[in-house]
Amino acid sequence: MVWDTGLKKTRDFNFRYLRWHLLLSYLTVMAAILFLFVIGVYLFFSYSFYQQLDEKLRALAQSAAPSLSEVEKRGNEYLDQMSVFPWRDLFNRDQQSLEWFNAKGELLAKRGELVLYFPPKPGVSKIRLSNHPFAIHTYTISVFTNSSNKKTILKGFIRASQSTESIKVSQKQLLLWLGIGGSLALGLAGIGGLWLTQKALKPIEQSYKQLKQFTADASHELRSPLTAIKTSVDVMLTHLERIHPKDLKKLSAISSATVQMNHLVDDLLFLARTDVSASKLSHEWLPIKLHELLQDVIDLIAPSAQAKQIRFISHVSIPLMIHGDRNCLCRLLSNLLENAIQYTSTGGKITVFLKKQNRFAVITIKDTGIGIAEEHLPFIFDRFWRADKARSHREGGTGLGLSIAQAVALQHGGKITVASKLGVGSCFFVHLPRISSTITGANFPKNSDFNSLT
């Protein structure tokens, strides 16, 4: 498994990205709220449209109920002779119809162009016809009469029907206006959200810049007193005859602590400087022969590996060019190689590869050391983070080596990934854009897992 923490590091300190990320999150929430609102309004008005239609059909059927007796006697002839009905204009279009039935459900007369071939059923019904593109709503009422012995007798049925075409048109218009209104509201929310996120992040960004400046200033100011302490202690140690034997160990401890503090100050100052975006530094970069640079670092580090009887194998002959800062890249590579030597036992092996992969130069540093537990992999590039006693603070170390390496890689438009197995070893992959590649917006290639490298 390969863990990628490089992009996460970039995002942690990229306020422009954070601003757009917050704005996108805000707009996503607003879009969800507006979507639910639009759906709610659409469903409410659609329900109201159908309720109004049912009420309209009920009124139409009830207004035709008094004519059932005459229609039963004379049929369509009676309707043709009558020139005025209170419901006459309601079914002049082909979307409506009105039908009269006797008590047996037999059709007596009808008005309108809708033809329904099924018996009346009291209440509201919704049907679909094969020859009609829209659903039909019907409202059927039962008509009763009183007999001479005061019994209620079913006289017949009146059925009013209408197509839902007009409702569908109204629904489309409603949805259109809701969409336009929602889009305008979302646009205004975006403008307001952009202003709010800028205002909210401004004090945070100022505090972060002040913290970076303080780190750089403090690191710079601490170098002078630490150098003075180290020089004084070294001078005292050169005159052992003037030092009491009991104080010798204390002075040695002070000297060691001073050296360690100097390393820490240098690392903090370096990190403070590398937090500057690559766009501000790239104009100072020069073309670099990566294979030669890597070989120089290996030659410099190799004696440390030989002192621990560690086999050092390198395959870095492929010529590759990159843009960058030579000193920073040297520090990146030396930190990774020193880290590999530190955690590889005597008799182990370190292998270094250089290859071309798509638009990137990929440096692979594989060791047979103690490895890193899988749950610790996402945190190894965090500053001052320590996994366990096996990878505890080593003598002269600051806990910032991998953080510096990752910072340099990100500054050069690349990244570092790692694959590791506890007790087997670790493999670090350094991706750097080749000189013909674009630094920003790069799509990094994927590496194989640790199994394929062992």
Side-chain angles (χ1 to χ4, degrees):
M1 180 181 295
V2 177
W3 289 84
D4 180 3
T5 58
L7 297 180
K8 173 179 178 293
K9 286 292 183 183
T10 301
R11 294 170 181 173
D12 287 344
F13 302 99
N14 192 336
F15 282 93
R16 184 178 180 183
Y17 168 83
L18 183 59
R19 186 180 297 112
W20 287 108
H21 181 75
L22 288 175
L23 178 61
L24 181 60
S25 300
Y26 171 74
L27 290 179
T28 301
V29 173
M30 287 299 300
I33 294 174
L34 286 173
F35 176 77
L36 294 176
F37 173 77
V38 167
I39 293 298
V41 170
Y42 177 79
L43 293 177
F44 172 78
F45 277 94
S46 296
Y47 177 78
S48 298
F49 290 156
Y50 284 106
Q51 287 291 102
Q52 292 174 7
L53 176 60
D54 292 338
E55 288 296 319
K56 176 182 177 181
L57 294 176
R58 183 181 64 83
L60 176 61
Q62 289 178 345
S63 66
S67 64
L68 181 60
S69 298
E70 292 297 328
V71 170
E72 191 173 12
K73 294 176 182 178
R74 302 170 58 185
N76 284 323
E77 181 183 353
Y78 169 75
L79 299 178
D80 294 337
Q81 291 178 355
M82 298 300 295
S83 58
V84 178
F85 287 100
W87 31 264
R88 183 179 181 86
D89 294 335
L90 295 177
F91 52 87
N92 285 337
R93 298 189 298 268
D94 60 359
Q95 294 184 4
Q96 299 170 323
S97 70
L98 188 62
E99 299 165 292
W100 288 259
F101 298 89
N102 59 20
K104 297 180 179 179
E106 297 172 344
L107 181 64
L108 301 176
K110 69 182 292 296
R111 279 292 182 270
E113 299 299 327
L114 289 177
V115 181
L116 308 178
Y117 300 100
F118 62 94
K121 181 181 179 181
V124 179
S125 298
K126 181 180 179 180
I127 61 172
R128 285 194 173 273
L129 302 178
S130 59
N131 60 346
H132 200 281
F134 299 96
I136 308 297
H137 264 237
T138 67
Y139 198 105
T140 305
I141 63 171
S142 301
V143 180
F144 297 90
T145 186
N146 294 325
S147 61
S148 56
N149 55 1
K150 297 183 179 181
K151 287 186 177 181
T152 301
I153 300 175
L154 178 63
K155 190 174 183 180
F157 304 94
I158 305 293
R159 182 168 67 191
S161 307
Q162 181 173 326
S163 170
T164 58
E165 180 179 358
S166 60
I167 293 180
K168 295 298 182 183
V169 172
S170 299
Q171 286 178 321
K172 289 182 179 179
Q173 292 177 345
L174 174 64
L175 196 59
L176 175 63
W177 286 109
L178 286 175
I180 294 174
S183 300
L184 290 175
L186 191 61
L188 293 175
I191 296 174
L194 181 60
W195 178 76
L196 287 174
T197 52
Q198 288 177 340
K199 190 172 183 179
L201 286 177
K202 189 174 182 179
I204 301 175
E205 189 170 0
Q206 289 177 345
S207 298
Y208 176 71
K209 288 180 179 178
Q210 290 174 355
L211 179 61
K212 285 201 304 180
Q213 188 62 42
F214 170 78
T215 303
D217 292 344
S219 300
H220 185 269
E221 293 300 325
L222 282 171
R223 297 176 78 176
S224 296
L226 286 172
T227 301
I229 294 172
K230 179 67 168 59
T231 302
S232 299
V233 172
D234 289 344
V235 170
M236 294 175 67
L237 290 174
T238 57
H239 300 281
L240 297 178
E241 69 281 359
R242 301 178 184 177
I243 303 174
H244 194 280
K246 293 182 179 180
D247 296 330
L248 183 59
K249 185 179 293 185
K250 297 177 183 178
L251 289 174
S252 298
I254 293 174
S255 178
S256 176
T258 305
V259 171
Q260 186 172 326
M261 284 293 294
N262 271 317
H263 286 318
L264 178 59
V265 168
D266 290 342
D267 288 347
L268 288 174
L269 185 59
F270 184 85
L271 284 172
R273 289 170 177 169
T274 53
D275 282 336
V276 180
S277 64
S279 60
K280 296 180 180 179
L281 299 174
S282 58
H283 66 279
E284 301 175 357
W285 291 350
L286 298 172
I288 297 173
K289 296 179 180 180
L290 184 59
H291 56 292
E292 293 183 359
L293 173 64
L294 183 54
Q295 188 61 55
D296 290 343
V297 175
I298 291 174
D299 293 341
L300 184 65
I301 299 296
S304 299
Q306 293 173 0
K308 289 186 65 175
Q309 298 180 2
I310 296 174
R311 283 197 301 156
F312 217 116
I313 304 173
S314 62
H315 302 278
V316 296
S317 58
I318 179 173
L320 292 175
M321 295 286 291
I322 64 170
H323 268 125
D325 183 290
R326 185 178 183 87
N327 292 331
C328 291
L329 292 171
C330 282
R331 191 154 190 176
L332 181 158
L333 297 171
S334 61
N335 281 0
L336 292 178
L337 289 172
E338 288 174 357
N339 191 73
I341 294 172
Q342 177 67 31
Y343 298 112
T344 300
S345 303
T346 301
K349 181 176 68 173
I350 297 175
T351 309
V352 182
F353 298 94
L354 175 63
K355 64 178 180 179
K356 178 174 64 176
Q357 189 172 0
N358 299 329
R359 296 177 298 136
F360 294 87
V362 181
I363 303 168
T364 304
I365 300 174
K366 187 170 76 74
D367 63 64
T368 57
I370 60 177
I372 309 169
E374 184 175 342
E375 63 270 18
H376 295 152
L377 286 173
F379 311 106
I380 63 172
F381 294 105
D382 292 350
R383 298 177 185 183
F384 300 109
W385 184 84
R386 294 294 176 180
D388 49 36
K389 293 182 179 179
R391 302 185 71 91
S392 61
H393 192 83
R394 70 180 188 267
E395 182 180 357
T398 63
L400 295 173
L402 291 180
S403 299
I404 290 174
Q406 185 69 290
V408 172
L410 293 174
Q411 190 184 67
H412 285 74
K415 69 170 184 177
I416 301 177
T417 57
V418 57
S420 184
K421 280 188 177 181
L422 198 61
V424 177
S426 303
C427 189
F428 286 82
F429 305 92
V430 183
H431 301 78
L432 295 172
R434 292 188 290 117
I435 203 166
S436 59
S437 303
T438 303
I439 290 178
T440 57
N443 295 317
F444 295 103
K446 295 182 179 180
N447 296 109
S448 56
D449 60 16
F450 186 82
N451 290 330
S452 63
L453 296 168
T454 55

